[in-house]
């Protein structure tokens, strides 16, 4: 009774604060199996995200027990006289408030007291797929599928992200050159649209919604189930890092490796990534104790160009049954590369440990109080034809010799991306992901403050604009619809608008993305 009273008071506050005429008893009568909470702790959790750059003020948080709970809530928002916003939140790993909403309801897809009542991961060994709840974390999906000796094909570098969250963006890592992003490895979805309809969609059924939702930034529906393609899981991974001082040699080798995408497994690596080293301390500390503390890498000793080195990361997956031929396959592939001689660093580890490598870095940072700090991250897709200009202007120019986090760089093949999805990429057959994954610190170093890093991100974007480098933001963040229109371009913006009109005509969903103004009282969203 006390909880219902609190909820009624909260909804009455909605009426007074934002002026929409929604009968508070309607939310109490929705027949939800989950928990609709107005507890301070739940609201606080839903008011922030990993970026730490924005705050929101949600009025309630739903921990759904079923997809039907989500459909009922969204339908109530759609049918109400003036509407209210709904935002789906997974692990809260967004950077710029994309999964937050003010004066609306946040649906907490991951965790919660009712998580055991949601769809449990179901694995089909025969057809090689897994049916997964949209709020499930990828680490838990991996744990479930490995019981059958199977695993998803494409990953993100960090596994403590929700399935629905990464599929609403793309989901990329070093396997994308070969398997494509995670959105290209989905057979089927269940989606709650902005009308409150719970629909199953695939290539053949409700195909427009299927392609819209994949990479759709949550604008067209909330993914409640995904059918993920699986493959036989390898047992172990040979993880190799080699260093370069010359950028063109580094990119030539990366591009050569991703060109092997169609070759047999024995003739290519399974993972291709890289990172930029502008700070001597970073290479010895990032991600793991990969480089020996007793023999640290010194940039000054490697004759780097402009104080910058480049590290290529590659892996070879294998089973114990073919362990005897892995070294030969690796040696053959490495002979084609032009890295710095004697800069090969190799380790061997279980497949799970490799996929979950970033979590180990997270635990270290948490132990030092350096995890829950602002993260002014910037992720860009840069066309191959301009990546050398980007290197000169940004890596060797704007950044100087200081950074407070890793800078990833690796190429992908455009033919592994389905242009029917909502994601936009550069108009070239090869493009690079460049990710500035920095953390803002208050350690007295001005170059690591939030203001400094945020201004530097602006400088990077301004440089690309002035140099006419046609980048696309990955995990995009813009503050005006004009910027979003420029991001998509005329062709894809028209399609994006049409999909919005069809699947979320009242602009109820994902207002934290700041793409569409709600069609009802605009003051209820955080604009």
């Amino acid at each position: 009774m006390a909880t219902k009273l609190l909820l009624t008071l909260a909804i009455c506050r909605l009426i007074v604060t934002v002026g929409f005429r929604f009968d508070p008893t309607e939310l109490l009568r929705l027949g939800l199996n989950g928990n609709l909470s107005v507890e301070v702790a739940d609201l606080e959790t839903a008011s922030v995200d990993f970026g730490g750059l924005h705050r929101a003020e949600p009025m309630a948080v739903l921990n759904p027990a079923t997809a039907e709970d989500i459909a009922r809530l969204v339908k109530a928002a759609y049918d109400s006289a003036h509407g209210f916003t709904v935002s789906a939140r997974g692990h809260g790993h967004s950077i710029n408030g994309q999964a937050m909403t003010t004066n609306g309801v946040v649906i907490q897809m991951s965790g919660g007291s009712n998580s055991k009542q949601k769809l449990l991961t179901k694995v089909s060994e025969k057809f090689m797929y897994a049916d997964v709840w949209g709020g499930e974390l990828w680490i838990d999906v991996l744990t479930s599928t490995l019981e059958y000796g199977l695993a998803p094909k494409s990953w993100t570098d960090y596994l403590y992200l929700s399935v629905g969250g990464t599929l609403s963006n793309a989901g990329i890592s070093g396997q994308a050159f070969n398997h494509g992003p995670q959105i290209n490895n989905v057979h089927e979805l269940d989606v709650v649209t902005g009308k409150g309809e719970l629909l199953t969609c695939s290539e053949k059924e409700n195909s427009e919604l299927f392609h819209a939702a994949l990479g759709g930034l949550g604008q067209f529906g909330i993914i409640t189930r995904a059918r993920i393609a699986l493959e036989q899981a390898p047992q172990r991974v040979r993880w190799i890092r080699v260093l370069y001082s010359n950028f063109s040699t580094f990119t030539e080798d990366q591009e050569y490796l991703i060109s092997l995408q169609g070759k047999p497994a024995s003739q290519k690596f399974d993972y291709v990534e890289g990172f930029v080293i502008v700070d001597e301390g970073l290479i010895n500390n990032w991600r793991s104790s990969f480089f020996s503390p007793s023999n640290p890498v010194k940039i000054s000793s490697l004759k780097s160009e402009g104080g910058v080195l480049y590290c290529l990361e590659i892996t070879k997956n294998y089973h114990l049954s073919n362990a005897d031929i892995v070294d030969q396959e690796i040696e053959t592939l490495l002979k084609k590369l032009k890295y710095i001689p004697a800069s090969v660093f190799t380790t061997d580890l279980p497949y799970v440990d490799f996929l979950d490598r970033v979590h180990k870095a997270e635990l270290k940072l948490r132990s030092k109080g350096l995890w829950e700090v602002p993260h002014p991250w910037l992720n860009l897709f840069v066309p191959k034809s301009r990546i050398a200009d980007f290197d000169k202007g940004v890596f060797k120019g704007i950044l100087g010799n200081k950074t407070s986090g890793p800078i990833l760089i690796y190429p992908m093949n455009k033919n592994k991306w389905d242009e029917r999805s909502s994601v936009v990429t550069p108009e070239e057959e090869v493009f690079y992901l460049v990710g500035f994954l920095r953390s803002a610190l208050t350690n007295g170093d001005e170059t690591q403050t939030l203001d400094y890093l945020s201004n530097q991100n602006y400088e990077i974007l301004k440089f690309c604009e002035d140099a006419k480098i046609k980048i696309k933001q990955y995990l995009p963040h813009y503050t005006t619809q004009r910027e979003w229109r420029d991001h998509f371009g005329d062709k894809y913006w028209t399609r994006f608008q049409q999909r919005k009109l069809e699947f979320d005509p009242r602009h109820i969903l994902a207002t934290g993305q700041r793409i569409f103004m709600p069609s009802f009282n605009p003051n209820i969203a955080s604009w």
Side-chain angles (χ1 to χ4, degrees), residues 248-263:
S248 62
T249 304
F250 169 68
T251 54
E252 285 170 9
D253 278 1
Q254 281 196 319
E255 290 164 19
Y256 164 71
L257 291 176
I258 72 165
S259 75
L260 303 177
Q261 56 171 302
K263 298 286 186 180

Side-chain angles (χ1 to χ4, degrees), residues 50-66:
F50 181 70
L53 308 177
H54 304 275
R55 285 191 68 89
E57 295 184 6
M59 296 302 298
V61 175
L62 171 65
N63 284 286
T66 63

Side-chain angles (χ1 to χ4, degrees), residues 230-478:
L230 304 178
E231 65 179 356
Q232 292 293 330
Q235 293 174 308
R236 297 194 65 81
V237 171
R238 193 68 55 82
W239 185 12
I240 304 158
R241 286 178 173 175
V242 295
L243 300 175
Y244 294 77
S245 59
N246 181 276
F247 184 71
S248 62
T249 304
F250 169 68
T251 54
E252 285 170 9
D253 278 1
Q254 281 196 319
E255 290 164 19
Y256 164 71
L257 291 176
I258 72 165
S259 75
L260 303 177
Q261 56 171 302
K263 298 286 186 180
S266 62
Q267 298 176 30
K268 62 186 175 185
F269 285 111
D270 296 290
Y271 164 98
V272 177
E273 277 200 19
F275 58 93
V276 181
I277 306 158
V278 299
D279 184 336
E280 196 161 281
L282 181 63
I283 190 171
N284 299 300
N285 291 299
W286 163 234
R287 285 187 174 170
S288 68
S289 55
F290 192 97
F291 300 104
S292 171
S294 62
N295 185 27
V297 176
K298 295 288 187 181
I299 292 179
S300 56
S301 68
L302 295 173
K303 299 180 181 179
S304 60
E305 294 180 351
V308 180
L309 282 176
Y310 311 94
C311 182
L312 171 64
E313 285 192 304
I314 42 185
T315 71
K316 193 74 173 166
N317 301 337
Y318 68 97
H319 290 81
L320 295 177
S321 60
N322 68 336
D324 57 332
I325 62 172
V326 168
D327 288 336
Q328 182 180 345
E329 292 176 357
I330 291 173
E331 183 180 353
T332 300
L333 285 163
L334 289 179
K335 282 181 178 178
K336 301 289 184 69
L337 307 182
K338 303 180 183 65
Y339 51 85
I340 297 173
S343 74
V344 181
F345 298 82
T346 303
T347 190
D348 195 279
L349 68 171
Y351 182 61
V352 175
D353 289 359
F354 171 72
L355 291 180
D356 201 27
R357 61 199 179 279
V358 177
H359 185 53
K360 294 181 179 179
E362 174 190 348
L363 295 177
K364 290 181 181 179
L365 291 172
R366 284 189 183 277
S367 70
K368 298 176 182 179
L370 298 176
W371 183 255
E372 294 182 357
V373 298
H375 296 93
W377 287 8
L378 179 65
N379 291 279
L380 306 174
F381 288 150
V382 182
K384 169 189 168 180
S385 65
R386 302 301 304 277
I387 194 66
D389 297 323
F390 191 93
D391 169 63
K392 184 177 180 180
V394 178
F395 301 148
K396 295 189 178 81
I398 293 173
L399 291 184
N401 64 349
K402 281 285 188 179
T403 187
S404 61
I407 303 169
L408 303 185
I409 175 171
Y410 57 93
M412 287 173 281
N413 296 305
K414 190 177 180 69
N415 63 10
K416 291 294 182 179
W417 293 65
D418 191 331
E419 293 195 352
R420 295 173 296 177
S421 79
S422 293
V423 181
V424 289
T425 59
E427 292 296 327
E428 293 190 10
E429 288 307 306
V430 171
F431 59 90
Y432 280 78
L433 179 281
V434 180
F436 300 88
L437 311 184
R438 282 99 62 84
S439 300
L441 306 176
T442 54
N443 57 4
D445 185 343
E446 181 189 359
T447 64
Q448 296 189 7
T449 63
L450 179 58
D451 283 347
Y452 184 92
L453 295 174
S454 297
N455 288 335
Q456 199 171 70
N457 286 345
Y458 173 79
E459 283 186 68
I460 293 169
L461 293 172
K462 188 67 167 59
F463 165 77
C464 292
E465 181 182 359
D466 292 344
K468 294 182 170 54
I469 300 176
K470 296 181 179 180
I471 60 164
K472 296 294 182 184
Q473 284 193 33
Y474 176 60
L475 310 177
H477 170 65
Y478 302 101

Side-chain angles (χ1 to χ4, degrees), residues 127-312:
F127 296 107
M128 304 279 281
Y129 67 72
D131 280 324
V132 181
W133 171 250
E136 195 74 66
L137 301 185
W138 283 103
I139 182 65
D140 297 322
V141 175
L142 177 62
T143 299
S144 297
T145 59
L146 283 177
E147 293 180 8
Y148 301 85
L150 303 173
K153 297 177 179 180
S154 192
W155 293 97
T156 57
D157 284 335
Y158 182 59
L159 302 189
Y160 288 75
L161 304 172
S162 69
V163 170
T166 66
L167 295 184
S168 293
N169 288 281
I172 56 175
S173 185
Q175 303 89 357
F177 82 95
N178 195 34
H179 294 295
Q182 289 182 317
I183 56 174
N184 268 41
N185 295 276
V186 180
H187 296 313
E188 189 175 273
L189 298 172
D190 284 347
V191 176
V192 175
T193 71
K195 300 176 183 178
E197 303 167 311
L198 176 56
L199 301 175
T200 297
C201 54
S202 64
E203 287 273 4
K204 296 181 179 179
E205 181 180 8
N206 295 313
S207 61
E208 188 67 22
L209 177 60
F210 180 70
H211 295 298
L214 293 172
L217 306 174
Q219 291 297 311
F220 313 110
I222 298 170
I223 297 171
T224 61
R225 178 186 64 90
R227 179 165 288 178
I228 307 296
L230 304 178
E231 65 179 356
Q232 292 293 330
Q235 293 174 308
R236 297 194 65 81
V237 171
R238 193 68 55 82
W239 185 12
I240 304 158
R241 286 178 173 175
V242 295
L243 300 175
Y244 294 77
S245 59
N246 181 276
F247 184 71
S248 62
T249 304
F250 169 68
T251 54
E252 285 170 9
D253 278 1
Q254 281 196 319
E255 290 164 19
Y256 164 71
L257 291 176
I258 72 165
S259 75
L260 303 177
Q261 56 171 302
K263 298 286 186 180
S266 62
Q267 298 176 30
K268 62 186 175 185
F269 285 111
D270 296 290
Y271 164 98
V272 177
E273 277 200 19
F275 58 93
V276 181
I277 306 158
V278 299
D279 184 336
E280 196 161 281
L282 181 63
I283 190 171
N284 299 300
N285 291 299
W286 163 234
R287 285 187 174 170
S288 68
S289 55
F290 192 97
F291 300 104
S292 171
S294 62
N295 185 27
V297 176
K298 295 288 187 181
I299 292 179
S300 56
S301 68
L302 295 173
K303 299 180 181 179
S304 60
E305 294 180 351
V308 180
L309 282 176
Y310 311 94
C311 182
L312 171 64

